[in-house]
Amino acid sequence: MRMKNTKPLFLGLWVVFASVSLAKHPQTIVDDQSIQTQRLRPLPDKIYGVTVDSIANIDTTVDALGTLSQMPMTRIVFDEWQPATDYAMAVSKIYAKSFVLGEILDSSSVKQYTTAQYKARTREYLNALFDTVDVWEVGNEINGEWLGKTSVVVAKMSAAYDLVKARGGRTALTLYYNPNCWAKPSNEMFRWTTTNVPERMKSGLDYVLVSYYEEDCNGYQADWQQVISQLAQIFPNSKIGVGECGTRDAAKKEALIQQYYTLKVNHPSFMGGYFWWYFMEDMVPKTKTLWTVLNEAIKSASAP
């Protein structure tokens, strides 16, 4: 299990820079313009998301997703150096029961890829999975210090965005909220975003999401009304929500699930999201207590 919310402090201890080249997984590169764009299925205004970071035991996972009281959106984490074809069957099964957010590459692995490799990976995954992914996450925790040199990170993010848009696909960008807990001032979320996200993305992104782990930031309680409102000024045409949340502390999980999935923000751009990172650990199979906690929170939040 990837210890997602320890990255800013401990990334250097456990990220191994892959020496594998994309040539290890031969792929057919299809001209973007030769692929007919899919008619995208409609998405709800309010989204209840979870994160799936493994396709092991896929049928049990799909059962847990498919019996929630509201059809969720599932972020599928596509692991580094894995060919897109490895995910085709699992993504198709999830797509039948859930909306799908395809994470092109987790932030912990972005530094392992050159810009050309990141672009090639995006194209490969679009070619293989476009029909079963509703939204493409073109950058994950994009302002994190651990992703590498800013100009290179921006080039990777922008290339992926342009490829998805060329296909007529939906795009999402996930930011990393780090109030007073950044390592470099230039990586503070609002400062980095205002300075480095290209104007075409500020006006064209379909979704802007915010990853936030309280225990990474000294337990700071976010003012989500303020955060969403400020981001809406930067991204006036985007739906905005929480893109990752969770905790490894078993004693805090239930309260945190209830806190986030019933979160109320009075702003027309707010779309929910949440995308609990530990869905497979905590809620699969659906007989686990926290699956019921999640389902009850969604019921409460979605009640008229």
Side-chain angles (χ1 to χ4, degrees), residues 60-205:
T60 306
T61 300
V62 169
D63 181 52
L65 293 167
T67 48
L68 289 168
S69 60
Q70 296 288 323
M71 184 169 173
M73 178 176 283
T74 304
R75 167 196 276 109
I76 304 175
V77 179
F78 298 134
D79 284 341
E80 64 276 15
W81 310 113
Q82 296 301 309
T85 50
D86 284 1
Y87 288 97
M89 182 178 294
V91 174
S92 180
K93 288 184 175 184
I94 292 174
Y95 183 83
K97 298 292 184 179
S98 168
F99 303 109
V100 174
L101 172 67
E103 185 190 64
I104 292 171
L105 190 63
D106 189 68
S107 68
S108 61
S109 301
V110 168
K111 200 172 182 180
Q112 298 179 26
Y113 284 68
T114 66
T115 301
Q117 288 171 328
Y118 195 89
K119 186 174 181 178
R121 177 181 171 88
T122 303
R123 185 182 286 111
E124 176 193 356
Y125 273 75
L126 285 170
N127 291 345
L129 304 174
F130 191 83
D131 287 347
T132 51
V133 172
D134 296 286
V135 184
W136 294 90
E137 188 177 357
V138 300
N140 175 253
E141 297 180 329
I142 201 68
N143 58 300
E145 293 95 344
W146 58 94
L147 276 73
K149 186 177 178 181
T150 296
S151 61
V152 178
V153 173
V154 171
K156 294 171 185 176
M157 167 189 76
S158 303
Y161 172 82
D162 290 339
L163 283 169
V164 176
K165 282 297 183 181
R167 301 284 180 96
R170 298 187 185 97
T171 54
L173 181 67
T174 300
L175 308 171
Y176 182 71
Y177 190 41
N178 51 3
N180 299 318
C181 54
W182 32 259
K184 300 176 184 177
S186 59
N187 288 83
E188 187 275 324
M189 184 180 76
F190 290 109
R191 179 174 176 178
W192 193 99
T193 300
T194 301
T195 303
N196 296 297
V197 177
E199 291 302 320
R200 68 184 184 280
M201 293 182 65
K202 288 177 180 173
S203 62
L205 280 161

Side-chain angles (χ1 to χ4, degrees), residues 44-51 71-75 101 207-210 228 239-245 257 260-263 269-277 294 298:
D45 292 333
K46 185 69 178 294
I47 287 172
Y48 300 96
V50 298
T51 299
M71 184 169 173
M73 178 176 283
T74 304
R75 167 196 276 109
L101 172 67
Y207 294 95
V208 174
L209 306 173
V210 181
I228 300 301
K239 292 292 186 181
I240 302 172
V242 179
E244 289 185 32
C245 65
I257 291 165
Y260 275 93
Y261 283 83
T262 60
L263 181 65
S269 296
F270 183 63
M271 46 69 78
Y274 320 118
F275 293 95
W276 187 262
W277 183 262
L294 174 67
I298 291 174

